[in-house]
Amino acid sequence: SCKDNQVESALNSAEISMNDNPESSLEVLESIDKDLLSTRKQKAKYALLYSMALDKNYIDIKTDSIIAPAVKYYENHGYVDDKIKSLYYLARVQYNSGEYNLAIVTLMKTMPLFDNSSEVRYLALVHNMLAVLYNESGLFEEAFEHLSKAYDSAIECNDYKLADLILRRKGVYYSNIKDYDKAEEIFEQVLSNDRIESVRSEVMCDYALVLLL
């Protein structure tokens, strides 16, 4: 019982700090003795949180062995939000391994789930990733469509930093298809506020390249 409480406490701690301090979450999760994960529910939660922590720490995983217990469990158990997240991080793995079509199929499975979910931020993330996948596949019209939906969802949940990052991607994609005027307009919009200080230098490089072109 004490061990179960310690595991639950560690999992809850990692979940709470995930967005603001993903490095700490990863440390907490890696400190857990996986032999103490005594139930399928605990194993699924650990698998989901660990996948999230790796992704947020820019550690790319190319095998679904970590996220698989979460995908399998949340298919028929738990909250719909956890099912959405497990499918999203499965798609991230599939993207990392170059399985773009499979990742698109996985992400599309999340769409009807949002009817019963308040996870608008993950709706933005799903649309953003679909845009990346369609762009990689040369389907630019579909990519722009999903970027617009991603931006609207980010604004709806007041995640303006995510919204600006999505706009930045939109500017890059316009540059890629040589619509430099539209790209310039978007980069100027992104740089007009102070919400994107963490990646301002990258945006300015993108903007400079557009002006050069």
Side-chain angles (χ1 to χ4, degrees):
S1 177
C2 290
K3 290 179 179 179
D4 280 344
N5 289 336
Q6 289 172 354
V7 169
E8 286 294 333
S9 177
L11 291 173
N12 290 336
S13 174
E15 186 172 21
I16 290 170
S17 61
M18 186 66 70
N19 289 328
D20 296 330
N21 195 352
E23 298 91 347
S24 175
S25 293
L26 184 59
E27 290 178 4
V28 170
L29 291 164
E30 290 184 335
S31 72
I32 295 176
D33 182 353
K34 290 191 283 295
D35 290 337
L36 298 180
L37 300 169
S38 57
T39 65
R40 288 184 61 208
K41 182 178 179 180
Q42 282 185 341
K43 291 175 182 177
K45 186 172 184 178
Y46 176 87
L48 177 56
L49 292 176
Y50 192 40
S51 296
M52 293 172 67
L54 290 171
D55 186 73
K56 289 178 179 293
N57 282 280
Y58 307 103
I59 300 173
D60 293 339
I61 304 299
K62 297 182 179 181
T63 172
D64 65 0
S65 58
I66 294 175
I67 191 62
V71 174
K72 186 174 182 179
Y73 179 81
Y74 292 125
E75 184 176 4
N76 298 307
H77 303 86
Y79 298 107
V80 66
D81 292 351
D82 291 327
K83 184 174 183 178
I84 289 170
K85 293 174 185 177
S86 68
L87 290 171
Y88 173 76
Y89 287 102
L90 172 61
R92 296 285 295 170
V93 171
Q94 293 165 340
Y95 170 76
N96 292 337
S97 61
E99 299 174 297
Y100 297 157
N101 289 337
L102 193 55
I104 290 172
V105 171
T106 298
L107 290 171
M108 293 306 294
K109 291 179 181 178
T110 70
M111 289 303 177
L113 301 177
F114 285 105
D115 291 340
N116 298 306
S117 170
S118 58
E119 280 285 1
V120 181
R121 186 174 187 275
Y122 268 88
L123 180 58
L125 292 173
V126 167
H127 280 301
N128 183 58
M129 191 173 175
L130 281 167
V132 172
L133 290 161
Y134 281 122
N135 182 72
E136 293 284 352
S137 303
L139 300 171
F140 304 120
E141 185 176 342
E142 289 84 351
F144 283 119
E145 179 182 345
H146 282 287
L147 280 179
S148 295
K149 292 178 179 179
Y151 179 79
D152 291 343
S153 296
I155 292 297
E156 182 180 344
C157 66
N158 300 317
D159 193 333
Y160 299 109
K161 182 177 180 180
L162 176 59
D164 285 340
L165 290 171
I166 292 167
L167 270 185
R168 179 206 174 189
R169 172 163 280 128
K170 199 169 188 178
V172 171
Y173 287 178
Y174 272 119
S175 178
N176 290 344
I177 63 172
K178 297 182 172 56
D179 190 341
Y180 302 126
D181 290 339
K182 190 65 176 178
E184 179 182 0
E185 177 186 328
I186 289 175
F187 288 137
E188 285 180 349
Q189 180 181 349
V190 176
L191 291 169
S192 67
N193 60 67
D194 297 324
R195 297 191 298 253
I196 201 165
E197 286 303 321
S198 61
V199 291
R200 179 169 289 272
S201 60
E202 289 91 336
V203 176
M204 292 181 73
C205 285
D206 294 333
Y207 186 26
L209 179 59
V210 165
L211 294 177
L212 179 64
L213 292 168

